[in-house]
């Protein structure tokens, strides 16, 4: 098993199972956990400041990318979860729920057809630029309505 982390605090574990490796415990150093904790706390504070700035109570929030970040960053916030829509182009995720959110994961088209006042937060780590281009070019969404998770790590 191999452990790695990135600059924003994500901890990744890689490994394979074969006859020589069984029930191996993976240990994280306290330094890894401190980096993760600091980064997560900073992101959480910055997201809360952003939610206050956009006046979340008067708009809808679209989280693009059905990832664990949706639960980790938004579940414990005191928000009206019915105003949060989670969208993903991966059909295998659509029509499913993420724990703590009342709306099913859906295609963005269905939300855009119903809601005119919204802000979008792109949660996906690997396809951020592609998603951003799709939103601005295909759906003609104003750039000012789109934010990316990566901007909150600063």
């Amino acid at each position: 098993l191999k452990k790695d982390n990135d600059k924003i605090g994500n901890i990744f574990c890689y490994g394979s199972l074969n006859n020589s490796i069984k029930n191996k415990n993976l240990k994280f150093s306290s330094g890894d956990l401190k980096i993760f904790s600091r980064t997560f706390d900073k992101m959480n504070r910055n997201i809360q400041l952003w939610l206050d700035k956009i006046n979340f109570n008067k708009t809808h929030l679209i989280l693009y990318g059905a990832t664990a970040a949706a639960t980790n960053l938004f579940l414990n916030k005191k928000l009206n979860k019915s105003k949060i829509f989670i969208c993903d182009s991966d059909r295998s995720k659509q029509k499913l729920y993420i724990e703590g959110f009342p709306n099913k994961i859906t295609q963005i088209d269905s939300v855009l057809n119903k809601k005119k006042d919204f802000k979008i937060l792109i949660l996906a780590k690997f396809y951020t630029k592609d998603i951003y281009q799709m939103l601005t070019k295909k759906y003609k969404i104003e750039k000012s309505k789109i934010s990316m998770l990566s901007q909150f790590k600063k």
Side-chain angles (χ1 to χ4, degrees):
L1 293 174
K2 181 184 175 206
K3 159 187 69 113
D4 195 9
N5 65 310
D6 62 15
K7 293 178 183 172
I8 62 170
N10 292 312
I11 299 174
F12 302 96
C13 302
Y14 308 94
S16 63
L17 292 176
N18 59 34
N19 292 336
S20 63
I21 302 174
K22 287 188 179 179
N23 299 323
K24 181 110 176 166
N25 289 329
L26 184 64
K27 298 195 183 208
F28 297 103
S29 72
S30 62
D32 291 335
L33 297 176
K34 284 179 186 175
I35 290 169
F36 175 79
S37 181
R38 275 195 311 263
T39 305
F40 183 80
D41 291 346
K42 182 187 278 189
M43 256 185 167
N44 229 351
R45 282 191 304 274
N46 289 339
I47 288 171
Q48 187 60 55
L49 291 171
W50 176 73
L51 289 169
D52 294 343
K53 181 181 174 185
I54 67 168
N55 200 356
F56 173 76
N57 293 328
K58 294 186 179 179
T59 190
H60 293 88
L61 180 60
I62 299 171
L63 301 177
Y64 198 99
T67 67
T71 304
N72 294 338
L73 293 169
F74 289 91
L75 188 59
N76 293 323
K77 294 196 180 312
K78 294 179 181 171
L79 303 170
N80 180 352
K81 304 290 189 301
S82 66
K83 295 178 76 174
I84 298 175
F85 298 89
I86 301 170
C87 298
D88 202 299
S89 57
D90 183 346
R91 292 184 191 268
S92 67
K93 295 179 181 180
Q94 293 172 5
K95 297 184 181 176
L96 300 174
Y97 290 95
I98 288 183
E99 184 178 343
F101 294 90
N103 298 315
K104 289 180 182 179
I105 299 168
T106 187
Q107 294 180 38
I108 195 157
D109 307 65
S110 63
V111 179
L112 295 177
N113 290 336
K114 296 177 190 171
K115 307 297 178 194
K116 300 301 176 202
D117 189 22
F118 60 85
K119 294 286 185 180
I120 298 175
L121 178 58
I122 300 173
L123 297 177
K125 179 179 178 176
F126 297 108
Y127 302 104
T128 303
K129 290 178 184 177
D130 297 329
I131 294 167
Y132 183 83
Q133 287 182 351
M134 176 196 62
L135 294 173
T136 56
K137 292 183 179 171
K138 180 179 178 182
Y139 295 103
K140 308 284 189 241
I141 297 172
E142 299 169 35
K143 293 177 182 179
S144 63
K145 289 188 168 199
I146 304 170
S147 296
M148 295 170 236
L149 188 60
S150 59
Q151 78 190 53
F152 297 107
K153 68 182 179 184
K154 299 173 184 171

